[in-house]
Structure formats: structure tokens, C-alpha cells
Amino acid sequence: GLPIYHLEIEEVDEPEAYGIASAKDQAAIVFRAAAKIIMANPYLTSRYKVLETTKRILRRDGRGFYAVLSADGDVQDGKRPSLLLFDELHRFTKKKAETVRTVLKKGMISRAPVIDGIETGEPLMIQTTTSGDEYECPLWFQEYEYAQGVKSGAIDDKKYFAAIYQADPKRIEAEAD
């Protein structure tokens, strides 16, 4: 429901929300859930159009959309996301995937929180993943280390929230012995 909520409440003129995964099929999981919510609710159906073939949800007033992207696709220059939902970051193993993520983040930064004196809100990026291998996906490992630093207080970043759910490393060591 997060893409729908974002399109409903975001104050920016034309919210651009994207779901990104290493493959379009993986990114489509969130799209399918959001589409089901819309199709089950007459109010939402009157406000949104679901385009199954292109994996897009459009506001019927033309002022915003949610789209699915794959990190293995072409570079996403020119986009100005107000919401980015990255799924399974540990699968962003190719340089092209890192480039897509970097380009989208920079596009997000280009959204000014104040336009013509009107507060428009801050763009939001959410990344979810299961564990990865630091050598297979350096991007995942960098985010993991940064999140650990924020959680421990070693890094002071008030705009970064990290929740890490993992097995106890001591327990894993004990089981390996």
C-alpha cells in the first residue's frame, strides 16, 4: 500500500514513485499488491488507473504515478523520484545496477523540499534486502555497514533509519563449531 499512500498524500506537484529490483519480475511483486488494493476499492479505482502490461499505476488526474523498474535495465536519467522502493538490494551485483541506483538517488536529490515558498515534503527512499555476500555485492555491504554505524551511534545521520534483523553472530559461530 505504500505507493498508493504516497500518491495520495505527497504534496509535490507530480509525485514519481518507483519500485526497483534487480529484475522486473521481482519489482512487480509490490506493483501486484498495490494493484489488488486499488481494484478491490471503488474509491481508489475512481482515482487510479492500473496498467498491468507496463506495471504502472497512474493517478487519473494526471498528477503522479507509480512505475516498476529493473536495475538491469537502461540508465534512468531524467527521473525525479519522490519515492524509491528498492527490493533485495543484495541482488544489485552488476555495475549497471549500481549506476541505476546512483542515477535515481541523484534524481531524488534534485527534488527541492520547498518550491515557490510552499513546503513540498522530502523524498523518501526505502531499501529492503536479505543478507548478501560482501564480495558478490559491495553495494549491499556498504549499506549494511552504514546501517550498522547509524544503529550503533558511530554515524550521526538523522535522516537515515535502519532496522536490521539477523541471526546472532555468536550463535552462528557456535553452530559452526
Side-chain angles (χ1 to χ4, degrees), residues 81-100:
S82 52
L83 175 67
L84 292 174
L85 302 173
F86 286 97
D87 189 24
E88 298 299 354
L89 193 63
H90 75 283
R91 295 288 181 204
F92 286 51
T93 57
K94 299 198 172 30
K95 186 67 178 162
K96 189 181 246 188
E98 285 186 47
T99 301
V100 166

Side-chain angles (χ1 to χ4, degrees), residues 36-155:
K36 281 182 185 179
I37 292 169
I38 290 169
M39 301 313 285
N41 184 303
Y43 171 76
L44 292 175
T45 303
S46 73
R47 292 188 47 80
Y48 297 96
K49 181 175 184 173
V50 175
L51 304 175
E52 181 65 40
T53 56
T54 58
K55 305 289 184 265
R56 292 173 71 91
I57 297 171
L58 308 175
R59 281 179 42 165
R60 290 190 185 271
D61 65 5
R63 294 188 55 242
F65 63 88
Y66 173 73
V68 169
L69 302 173
S70 71
D72 62 358
D74 290 331
V75 175
Q76 305 296 334
D77 291 314
K79 292 182 174 25
R80 296 181 62 240
S82 52
L83 175 67
L84 292 174
L85 302 173
F86 286 97
D87 189 24
E88 298 299 354
L89 193 63
H90 75 283
R91 295 288 181 204
F92 286 51
T93 57
K94 299 198 172 30
K95 186 67 178 162
K96 189 181 246 188
E98 285 186 47
T99 301
V100 166
R101 182 173 171 272
T102 299
V103 167
L104 289 170
K105 278 180 69 175
K106 286 181 179 178
M108 178 179 263
I109 292 168
S110 74
R111 282 203 176 261
V114 177
I115 298 173
D116 295 331
I118 300 170
E119 224 175 288
T120 60
E122 292 283 337
L124 176 64
M125 181 173 72
I126 297 175
Q127 302 176 118
T128 59
T129 191
T130 50
S131 284
D133 182 330
E134 67 182 284
Y135 301 108
E136 181 181 311
C137 183
L139 175 64
W140 166 83
F141 193 66
Q142 290 166 1
E143 280 298 319
Y144 175 75
E145 286 189 316
Y146 193 85
Q148 289 282 44
V150 170
K151 285 184 62 70
S152 72
I155 297 172

